[in-house]
Amino acid sequence: SFNSLALYNSFQAHLSDRTEDKKEDIVPTDKKIGFIGLGLMGTGMAMNLIKTGHKVTVWNRTAAKCADFVTAGATEAKNVSDLVSECDIVFSMVSDSEALRAIVFGEHGVLDGMKKGKALVDMSTVDIGTVTGLEGAITAREGRFLEAPVVGSVQPAMEGSLVIIGAGDSNLFDDCTSCFQAMGKKAFFLGDVGNGSKMKIIINMITGCIMSGFAEGMAVADRAGLSQETLLDVLNLGAISSPLISGKGKAILANKYPPAFPLKYQQKDMRLALALADQVEQPIPVSAAVNELFKRAKNLGLGEKDISAVYKAVNM
Ligand code: NA7
């Protein structure tokens, strides 16, 4: 079964010599912190809040996932509205817009516990309409709202080296300083709610296009009788060398795709990018084709694998 504590500790073990990522100097806020969504990303983020001395209460739909966090020092809430009532600032990190609306508007949800002095910080990647709708509902109850989607997948989440893109209530952004230091290496503030989601969606749209073009290149190299390993060696020394090319290249060579960023979420983000581009009337023919490729990959049953598994949809 999934042991979040063991997974977290294995990532932390690799960090020991990397002084730039040390978290010892963080002065944790006194505010009571809540965390909703202990999935692949939420696991590392919540663990990093606990390990840096924050007072953390957790909730997850599948309650069994809370046990490791209680062992690590967290409290478990019975439901989301209790969590909001008990905490000053609640972070959420769930799959998609539907999941986020379920925890906010659902029975015993965020809104039930929301009032003056309470705050929600959503860190999931969702559509712009959902975050602006949430902001309206929360501020109508005199609560505060910040969207803070993140750049980085499971390893940065575990290491606390995410890049955080905040937008919305600027005082709330400031109140999150020690939490963002625990979870990330840098936090940006982009102004109005919606700007964070837009930025995040654009970044993942670019990632999807690069990943797909790279997968096609690897497939052509193979069919043309070239060594994919040599192609990678050359790429890694050139202008497009990047953690993405080297990391996903290794995955393709090994033909192993454990999810750092699940492919189904990459397709979700391509879909969000198409909607955004539609809204602003910007043609994005390359991204549209890439969305079709990720849809095919999902149909092939690769949704739970890493985005690099798109190679299997290219090289059929
Ligand atoms: P995971 O590992 O798929 O985790 C998703 C989390 O969302 C997990 O805690 C789920 O609870 C929770 N979830 C999903 N649907 C619901 C509903 N309907 N109600 C409550 N909770 C729900 O995702 P990642 O951590 O990789 O990614 C999270 C986000 O970061 C996503 O937006 C990515 O695009 C970026 P469960 O444990 O299944 O009960």
Side-chain angles (χ1 to χ4, degrees):
S1 73
F2 185 70
N3 182 336
S4 21
L5 204 51
L7 189 64
Y8 177 79
N9 288 336
S10 75
F11 276 102
Q12 287 290 308
H14 299 300
L15 269 183
S16 47
D17 332 309
R18 293 185 24 198
T19 45
E20 75 269 23
D21 293 320
K22 285 253 162 39
K23 303 285 182 186
E24 278 112 51
D25 298 336
I26 295 172
V27 181
T29 175
D30 285 343
K31 294 192 187 310
K32 286 192 178 168
I33 304 302
F35 204 99
I36 299 171
L38 304 170
L40 221 44
M41 295 294 290
T43 288
M45 294 160 76
M47 237 13 134
N48 281 320
L49 288 171
I50 297 166
K51 298 283 170 174
T52 48
H54 291 87
K55 286 173 269 178
V56 180
T57 304
V58 294
W59 181 86
N60 192 65
R61 178 180 60 177
T62 307
K65 286 190 194 168
C66 293
D68 284 337
F69 297 84
V70 172
T71 305
T75 308
E76 183 181 347
K78 177 162 103 269
N79 57 47
V80 172
S81 62
D82 279 8
L83 180 89
V84 174
S85 300
E86 286 160 22
C87 297
D88 304 304
I89 301 175
V90 172
F91 293 93
S92 53
M93 189 58 167
V94 294
S95 329
D96 50 23
S97 305
E98 290 70 36
L100 182 59
R101 284 195 298 265
I103 60 154
V104 173
F105 298 105
E107 207 189 340
H108 304 302
V110 169
L111 283 191
D112 289 337
M114 189 50 66
K115 57 178 191 201
K116 201 173 162 79
K118 303 289 175 189
L120 178 71
V121 180
D122 179 56
M123 304 186 79
S124 326
T125 302
V126 296
D127 69 274
I128 300 131
T130 297
V131 281
T132 51
L134 245 59
E135 182 194 35
I138 287 169
T139 53
R141 282 167 175 73
E142 296 187 78
R144 298 186 294 165
F145 179 71
L146 185 79
E147 59 164 348
V150 301
V151 177
S153 60
V154 63
Q155 184 168 353
M158 295 284 183
E159 294 180 351
S161 59
L162 293 164
V163 178
I164 297 163
I165 311 172
D169 191 308
S170 64
N171 291 323
L172 177 53
F173 179 82
D174 293 339
D175 287 346
C176 291
T177 300
S178 69
C179 296
F180 288 163
Q181 286 169 339
M183 295 187 274
K185 61 179 173 190
K186 172 99 184 153
F188 291 86
F189 184 74
L190 265 53
D192 293 340
V193 162
N195 289 344
S197 300
K198 285 178 195 164
M199 177 79 85
K200 173 64 203 280
I201 290 165
I202 292 164
I203 289 164
N204 280 18
M205 168 187 130
I206 296 170
T207 306
C209 291
I210 294 176
M211 184 65 238
S212 301
F214 176 40
E216 286 188 350
M218 290 289 272
V220 175
D222 191 35
R223 295 214 185 229
L226 296 175
S227 154
Q228 290 181 323
E229 215 156 349
T230 310
L231 171 60
L232 262 184
D233 288 344
V234 176
L235 282 174
N236 285 332
L237 290 168
I240 62 162
S241 64
S242 63
L244 186 129
I245 296 288
S246 70
K248 306 308 183 189
K250 275 189 205 138
I252 292 172
L253 287 184
N255 195 29
K256 286 211 168 66
Y257 308 98
F261 181 43
L263 189 144
K264 63 178 178 184
Y265 292 149
Q266 177 62 60
Q267 195 271 317
K268 170 199 69 170
D269 294 344
M270 294 312 297
R271 188 190 330 129
L272 296 177
L274 290 178
L276 171 60
D278 213 33
Q279 208 184 348
V280 298
E281 296 187 22
Q282 171 61 45
I284 49 169
V286 173
S287 299
V290 166
N291 181 46
E292 296 304 317
L293 182 59
F294 278 106
K295 266 160 62 183
R296 181 196 289 165
K298 258 173 68 178
N299 289 347
L300 290 170
L302 300 167
E304 306 294 330
K305 304 269 187 216
D306 187 63
I307 55 164
S308 45
V310 75
Y311 176 72
K312 293 179 81 140
V314 168
N315 192 29
M316 285 177 19

